[in-house]
Amino acid sequence: MAGCRTDCVEKPFSIGFQKFGRFVGKHPWWFFICPLVISTALGTGFYFLEDMEANNIEDQFTPVNGPAKLERKFVEENFPLNNSVYSNQRLYTMGEFASFIAVSRDPNIFTDGAIKEILSLDKKVREIKHSRGHEQLTYEGLCARKSNKCIPNKILDIMNHYGSNIDQTELTFPFFRFGFTTIFLGYSVGGVNVSSTVIKSAKAIRLFYSLKEGNRSTTDLWLNEFLKVFPSNQSLNFITVTHSTSLSRQVEFEANTRDVIPLFSITYVIAIVFSIVSCLRFDCVRNKVWVATFGVLSAGLAVLSAFGMMLHIGVPFVMTVANSPFLILGIGVDDMFILISCWQQTNVHARVEDRLADTYKEAAISITITTLTDVLAFYIGLMTPFRSVQSFCLYTSTAILFCFLYSITFFGAFLVLNGRRENSNKHWLTCKEVPEDCPVGRSKWYDLCCVGGAYDRHTGAEEVQPMNHFFKKHYGPFLVKPWTKVCVILLYSVYLSISIYGCFQIQEGIDLRNLAADDSYVNRYYDDEKAYFYEYGPNIMVIIRGEFAYWEEKNMLDLESCVEDFKNLSFIEKDIFTSWLKSYKYYGYHTNLNLSVENVFKTNLSSFLRSYSDFKQDVNFTNNSIRASRFFIQTVNITTAIDEMNMLNNLRDTARRCSVPLLVYHPVFIYHDQYAVIVSNTVQNISVTTAVMLLISLLLIPNPLCCLWVTFSIASVIVGVTGFMALWDVNLDTISMIILVVCIGFSVDFSAHISYAFVSNKKPTANEKAVEALFHLGYPILQGALSTILGVIVLSASKNYIFRTFFKIMFLVIFFGLFHGITFIPVFLTFFDFFSSNSGNVSPQEKRALENQAMTNCQPKNIQEKAIDHDKQIYDNHTFLPDNQQLFPTQPCPSVWTLTVNTHPTQSDPVP
């Protein structure tokens, strides 16, 4: 198995990239300027950004073909709205309304001071006017009506009637007999303390101001004026007030884009600073400051080009897409580190086009596999039924492709231009030629600032960075100590245990309150609503579909049995039940009608419905045929996402079991539908993505055993991210679902190459292999992880849940991926080393001879003659195996993405 190679794709791919790199090296200015021109042209697509914004919450964050949308269509067709007889419970949408909740500063809101302030606010609302040309928009003109009067807040009628004596009145809850009518107070009075149905105290009052349906542009103007009535609570002494409207959630969600723009600016600065610091060299010639800057610029151009092209094409721009630039910046900087790392291993005396050719040959599979895994992960995300996820995946995958293209064109061209400067031994800032050796008598500051061009005298490449030495001399040896391995195993056991526990705590679905900023007035309203009005949930329609013989006794028994099944559900209030059929039977009983006869049933139904206008909206009685009808049941104690999911599933299951053709509906079900698909879609996407990642790994990584470790890492990281995100108060929703898929791509990035570097190097023992793999890959892994985390870390300061969730999950993905790459996998590999017998065939004498040969081949003749003991000592600490098929011996690219670690046969290689 050690000799098994699958390089039929990898080898020609690397050679092709080598040729392309040489072509770019010969014509750098074309490849430098063309991406700038293309980005400028495509960037004009941002002109259409405002037109392409698509932030409708229902359209973007609910399943495209969710069952509730089909149910709503049925309700809309069979029970059309009647604005002259308004009924809130009979709406098939959330309606147009304004609302405020008054919370008493004292234990009881039924005090004279609190009531006066509530009535004063109500008066202000009713007096709201908005001028539109010569027209005055008033509440009286826009309100929803019944019996030609605005729908009243009945609790206000009660408060006005009893006045200051209301605290001495026995108000019953939830129903109160007021005059000749019975009023339901469950939605109006909250935080109640009841004794035998009599209210002893209440903490909150909620008022609704319902508006007519069908004239959105006009009602929105009035609703905006309503929001201006509640700037603060400073003038209120007895109550605090929170408020909301039917358009508030949408408006607040769209306002979140303003939160992102300054964060991206900060991220860009952080990325540039980190890249410069990472590429900083105490050598005025080899310094990579400009290289780092243009590397970040390359990622920025990728975002500009991709987004501009998508906007030109007409792809909707959704709020979730605003997360993409942060991710692309991290990925782009990763590619930059790969190319810089490989460039530094080329021979500094070679021509720049040859150096770029060798760089591309080493980095070809590296950056290609990361691009393929990430892009395919996002394209697989297009399978999800959420448009917000689809837009995010399309924008992000396109940006990653541009990032890849600009890395091998724009950034590669700049590497060549910078390489020409280095070949001339010119200063990185002044571009003036400087000496390689410090003249006698000059100070250390002169040596630091005005002397440069150093390189490794044995390899001909740039000098190895101190962090690589840290992994070889300190971290690697520490990690392979026996007691350290035991600690790592214990640590992994703890990690896995906590992760599995967290997986069982995960909650599904996105809470709609999280679509607004944390400090939004909408969230304060939702907090009060949850605190004081949690007891009574949505009033559910139960719809009898199609024609049904209501007059036949058997059918009625079946229907009554189904009704009892609904009433027996734990979250249904049995005593609150609204049914036209029950009232019609009562009507028939008192008028001596035999409703078991079809003709009598249908003949008298019309007169009954004329007498009871509300019920007229519950029966589709057309052409002497009942096409559909509905009744209503009341839910209680629906407070959490789990309650909402269980409610929806149980209601639909109950309707499905009934022998009568039923469906259940409430406008909020449109949003609850996500619970039905979120888990299945997540599992589907992860499964497909994992299979695709393994296929890519088999094709591009020339060692099948690595695929086993890729599989292990993918499973381990996904379990860890899922478990810990649940413990970090992150739900499994449309945002976290797609990042879990991306998690697979990053798992491949961190795991595949460290395991392949382990099995491919020729060290005789497993511990030495682990140390050598960390020497080559430890620092680049760390750089790549830090660059990605820095790309998203500013999102942790966002006031918006979507952006914070993106940061949390990306942080978990990168942190756990990093820990697997430089801790868990290297240790586990030392226990499962199946290659020692083959890798240890070289005797110490042969090994020394190879090393000496490598040193001789790597040194120019004049340098060989000047070799000193100090250089020999450095060489002894860092051995290099020769590559007999290369003109210029180059060190395998020390990158987190290195795949071709000496794939050419050597004396110790088993020939495939």
Side-chain angles (χ1 to χ4, degrees), residues 698-719:
L698 281 169
L699 289 175
L700 296 182
I701 303 177
N703 193 298
L705 181 68
C706 293
C707 296
L708 298 178
W709 289 105
V710 168
T711 306
F712 164 78
S713 182
I714 288 174
S716 181
V717 174
I718 286 179
V719 170

Side-chain angles (χ1 to χ4, degrees), residues 500-572:
I500 293 173
Y501 169 78
C503 288
F504 288 99
Q505 310 303 313
I506 193 111
Q507 294 191 19
E508 304 166 32
I510 188 168
D511 188 344
L512 294 179
R513 73 185 300 279
N514 290 328
L515 297 178
D518 294 340
D519 57 356
S520 170
Y521 65 88
V522 176
N523 284 340
R524 292 192 292 271
Y525 177 87
Y526 290 153
D527 289 340
D528 282 349
E529 189 175 53
K530 186 175 182 179
Y532 304 113
F533 297 93
Y534 63 87
E535 185 174 355
Y536 291 97
N539 198 252
I540 308 298
M541 300 181 195
V542 181
I543 302 160
I544 303 171
R545 298 177 297 169
E547 295 188 15
F548 180 75
Y550 296 88
W551 46 88
E552 292 185 4
E553 185 177 354
K554 179 182 181 304
N555 288 349
M556 292 310 302
L557 290 174
D558 290 341
L559 182 59
E560 289 174 2
S561 175
C562 294
V563 170
E564 285 302 312
D565 289 341
F566 279 109
K567 289 184 176 182
N568 289 331
L569 294 174
S570 60
F571 52 85
I572 297 297

Side-chain angles (χ1 to χ4, degrees), residues 80-98 139 142-154 208-214 219 246 612-618 630 632 667:
L81 294 178
N82 184 350
N83 276 325
S84 63
V85 189
Y86 180 87
S87 174
N88 180 66
Q89 71 179 145
R90 292 172 171 83
L91 296 178
Y92 52 79
T93 66
M94 299 299 288
E96 302 286 331
F97 66 89
Y139 174 72
L142 297 173
C143 67
R145 293 177 175 273
K146 185 176 181 180
S147 302
N148 206 30
K149 295 181 180 179
C150 291
I151 299 296
N153 282 292
K154 292 295 183 68
F208 287 97
Y209 300 88
S210 299
L211 306 179
K212 287 184 291 188
E213 298 288 313
T219 55
S246 52
Y612 299 91
S613 57
D614 283 342
F615 290 142
K616 186 176 183 179
Q617 300 180 71
D618 295 337
R630 62 185 172 185
F632 299 87

